[in-house]
Amino acid sequence: MELRPRIGRRVVLIPLPFQGHLNPMLHLANILHFSGFSISIIHTHFNSPNPADHPHFSFHPIPDGLPPKSGASMGDIIPLVNALNQNCSGPFTSCLSEMLSDASAQPVACLITDTHWHVTQATADGLEIPRIVLRTSSFTTFAVLAALPLLRQKGYLPLRESQLEEPVHEFPPLKIKDIPRSGTTDHDPMYQLLSTMCKESKASRGIIINSFEELEPSAMSTVQQEFGVPVFPIGPFHKFLPPSPSSLLNPDRTCISWLDAQPPKSVLYVSFGSVASIDEDEFSETAWGLVNSNQPFLWVVRPGLVRGSAGAFQVPDGILDTAAGRACIVEWAPQLEVLSHAATGGFWTHSGWNSTLESLSAGVPMLCRPVLFDQNIDARYVTDVWKVGISIESKLERGKIEEAIKRLMIGREAMEMRERAACLRETADRCLREGGSSYKYLEKLVSLIMSF
Ligand code: UDP
C-alpha cells in the first residue's frame, strides 16, 4: 500500500510499556503514519520499544523512576501501572511542552494514550491539547469495567464462590466468574485504577478500540452510551498494514522452518502471552497432555512462565523424547506469522485480547485457558458467542488436556469451529477494505484529528 499524502501535522502517542499494550499502539502508529500524519512516541525507559524498528517515527524517552527490566509478572502489573502514573506526570508535561514549543517541528494535532495512562488527561488539559485514548481490550471488557460500580450495587461483587456459575443478566452470556477479579472497595488499588481509567476516558475526545463493529455490536453501543464520546473500532490493527516488529523479547524464527515441514492445519500453537504464569505442576500436566494428544505442537515457554522460575525453564528431557519430532519449543515466537502459517490448526491461548483477535482474524480456532484480568470475558465470547473454540475450565490435568486438544484439532466439532473461524477471518478482512466498517471509522478518526 502506498503512503497517503502528508498532512503536515503530528500525532503524539504514549504506549503503556507492556507487550499486550505496546503492540497495538505501535500498529496504530503505523496506521496513522500511513494516513498522512507524522508520528512521535513518548515512552518510558522501562520496557522501551526499539526505535530502530520504526525509523519513520521520532522517539522521546522520559524518566519513569523504575529500575530497567523487561517483562513483568502477574502480581506486579497493578502496582507498576500505579507507580508509572505517579512518576510520569511531570516528565510528560516537560516532554510535551518542549515539543509544543519547537517551532521547527510539525504542529501537534493531538495526544493518543493508552487508557491506563489516566494521568495524561490532566497533562493534556493543562497544555490544551486534545487527548484520544486507545483501549487495548474488547468492547465487552470495557463495558464491564465501566459497569463495576453497578455490578457491585447489584450484589454480583465481591465474587462469592457459591455464585460463580450464575449469569450476569446485564451482560449475557457472561457468568459471574467471568467478571475481572478487581477489589470492590473504593480504596482497593485495582478498583481505583479501573475507575480512574474509566473516568479519564470519559473526559477524552474519543476512544479507539482494537476490535471491529461486526464482532461486538451490542457492547459497542453500550460503550458509546456509557462513555459519551466518539468511538472508533478500527481493528484488527495488525491486518491494516504489514506490521513492523514490536516484540520486547527476540522471536525465535526457527519455529517457522519447523512449521514449514508440518502437514496443513496439523499443529497446535501454545502460548500464554507475555505475563500469565502457571505453577510447576500445571506445567508438567500441560507438557504431558500435549505429548499424549499425539498432535504436533509449537510451545512458547517464555522465561518466567513457570511461577518462581525467573529465567528460562527447562522442559524435562523425558517429555521431549516421547514427543520426538512432534514438538518445537521456543522462548518467544513470531506469533502473527505462526497464526497465519498453513500448518497451524489450533491455538491454546490464555485468551489475552491481542492473542484472541489475532487468532480470530487468522481463522484459527482456540483452546482457551484464561488466567486473569479480561481473559475470562474473551474466552466466554470465543466459546459461547463466536463458537470458535472450547475452554478448559477445570484444574489442568493431563487426561482432560489430551481430550480437549483432540476436540479442538480432530473430528466434526473441530471442522465446524474451523469453518466458523474462517468466516470471522473473512469478516475481519472485509471490514478493513475500502467501504468496510473499520476502514470507514479510520476515515472518521482522521477527520476528527484534522478538525482539532
Ligand atoms: N506474542 C508474540 N510471541 C509470543 C507470545 C506473544 O509475539 O511468543 C505477542 C502476541 O502476538 C500478542 C502479545 O504478544 O500481540 C500478547 O498480547 P495478549 O493481549 O495476547 O496477552 P498479554 O501478553 O497482554 O497477556
Side-chain angles (χ1 to χ4, degrees):
M1 261 198 273
E2 274 185 27
L3 276 187
R4 300 254 167 89
R6 304 288 82 199
I7 290 172
R9 303 198 63 193
R10 189 153 45 131
V11 175
V12 180
L13 297 99
I14 311 186
L16 194 74
F18 299 102
Q19 190 70 74
H21 293 254
L22 272 171
N23 286 359
M25 186 64 94
L26 290 167
H27 295 326
L28 174 65
N30 272 331
I31 296 171
L32 292 173
H33 181 255
F34 162 80
S35 304
F37 295 101
S38 296
I39 301 295
S40 296
I41 309 272
I42 300 182
H43 64 91
T44 55
H45 287 285
F46 170 76
N47 280 347
S48 157
N50 182 2
D53 288 334
H54 312 273
H56 40 300
F57 303 162
S58 69
F59 284 84
H60 307 262
I62 53 157
D64 53 37
L66 301 176
K69 148 180 171 190
S70 67
S73 66
M74 302 192 291
D76 292 340
I77 299 280
I78 303 299
L80 265 175
V81 175
N82 283 332
L84 284 167
N85 272 287
Q86 267 168 28
N87 299 352
C88 294
S89 161
F92 281 142
T93 306
S94 322
C95 184
L96 276 162
S97 309
E98 217 170 284
M99 281 184 182
L100 292 170
S101 59
D102 181 356
S104 66
Q106 287 180 349
V108 173
C110 71
L111 193 60
I112 300 184
T113 86
D114 195 286
T115 47
H116 282 299
W117 275 126
H118 54 75
V119 79
T120 56
Q121 186 58 48
T123 315
D125 290 344
L127 295 170
E128 297 183 359
I129 331 172
R131 169 183 180 247
I132 296 176
V133 293
L134 167 64
R135 180 70 207 163
T136 60
S137 72
S138 68
F139 272 116
T140 309
T141 292
F142 207 22
V144 170
L145 296 184
L148 283 180
L150 174 81
L151 297 176
R152 183 167 72 166
Q153 238 176 46
K154 296 217 162 181
Y156 293 110
L157 299 172
L159 300 183
R160 285 179 203 87
E161 283 305 314
S162 58
Q163 295 177 336
L164 293 180
E165 294 298 329
E166 288 176 19
V168 181
H169 298 292
E170 291 73 8
F171 290 100
L174 296 187
K175 295 185 179 179
I176 294 186
K177 66 180 179 187
D178 301 329
I179 302 174
R181 282 176 186 250
S182 80
T184 46
T185 62
D186 291 334
H187 302 296
D188 177 88
M190 182 160 168
Y191 191 80
Q192 244 177 21
L193 173 66
L194 295 175
S195 41
T196 313
M197 181 271 288
C198 287
K199 177 174 152 259
E200 299 301 3
S201 299
K202 287 176 187 170
S204 76
R205 304 289 290 270
I207 299 169
I208 303 171
I209 292 221
N210 192 11
S211 183
F212 50 102
E213 191 172 23
E214 291 83 342
L215 200 55
E216 316 172 80
S218 110
M220 176 174 156
S221 3
T222 310
V223 167
Q224 251 159 350
Q225 278 165 24
E226 186 61 34
F227 285 82
V229 293
V231 166
F232 303 94
I234 58 169
F237 295 174
H238 67 280
K239 287 196 107 182
F240 245 112
L241 296 165
S244 32
S246 50
S247 272
L248 294 167
L249 296 172
N250 226 358
D252 182 342
R253 297 193 46 80
T254 55
C255 63
I256 299 295
S257 31
W258 179 83
L259 280 174
D260 289 342
Q262 308 303 319
K265 305 227 180 290
S266 66
V267 174
L268 177 70
Y269 169 56
V270 188
S271 168
F272 305 134
S274 61
V275 177
S277 59
I278 54 179
D279 63 32
E280 215 169 317
D281 212 43
E282 291 174 318
F283 184 86
S284 164
E285 290 303 307
T286 300
W288 282 113
L290 286 168
V291 171
N292 296 344
S293 75
N294 271 327
Q295 298 296 307
F297 62 92
L298 162 57
W299 188 8
V300 178
V301 181
R302 176 198 94 231
L305 170 66
V306 178
R307 276 195 278 284
S309 70
F313 190 79
Q314 223 47 48
V315 182
D317 282 347
I319 296 177
L320 288 182
D321 294 345
T322 320
R326 271 192 300 110
C328 176
I329 295 182
V330 294
E331 288 194 5
W332 194 250
Q335 181 160 306
L336 294 174
E337 250 179 284
V338 169
L339 287 171
S340 58
H341 196 286
T344 304
F347 181 13
W348 179 355
T349 171
H350 70 308
S351 301
W353 180 243
N354 293 288
S355 293
T356 304
L357 191 66
E358 289 162 12
S359 200
L360 285 176
S361 52
V364 176
M366 283 163 265
L367 174 55
C368 304
R369 175 66 182 182
V371 182
L372 78 169
F373 300 141
D374 56 340
Q375 297 158 10
N376 288 296
I377 297 180
D378 301 342
R380 181 70 54 205
Y381 265 65
V382 166
T383 57
D384 294 22
V385 178
W386 306 312
K387 299 186 187 338
V388 291
I390 52 177
S391 260
I392 302 186
E393 297 198 6
S394 56
K395 188 171 179 297
L396 279 185
E397 188 267 306
R398 64 190 74 185
K400 295 227 166 67
I401 295 172
E402 177 186 342
E403 198 184 309
I405 295 175
K406 286 181 174 156
R407 256 181 84 195
L408 183 79
M409 301 295 286
I410 9 182
R412 193 195 164 109
E413 192 185 3
M415 283 301 296
E416 288 170 358
M417 285 190 276
R418 207 162 272 174
E419 278 163 19
R420 284 191 289 269
C423 288
L424 272 180
R425 183 192 54 214
E426 276 165 33
T427 311
D429 288 345
R430 210 170 37 243
C431 76
L432 296 173
R433 286 198 288 267
E434 196 165 347
S437 63
S438 295
Y439 188 97
K440 285 194 205 153
Y441 279 109
L442 175 59
E443 287 182 330
K444 287 187 189 167
L445 174 65
V446 171
S447 307
L448 175 71
I449 300 176
M450 294 293 293
S451 73
F452 293 143

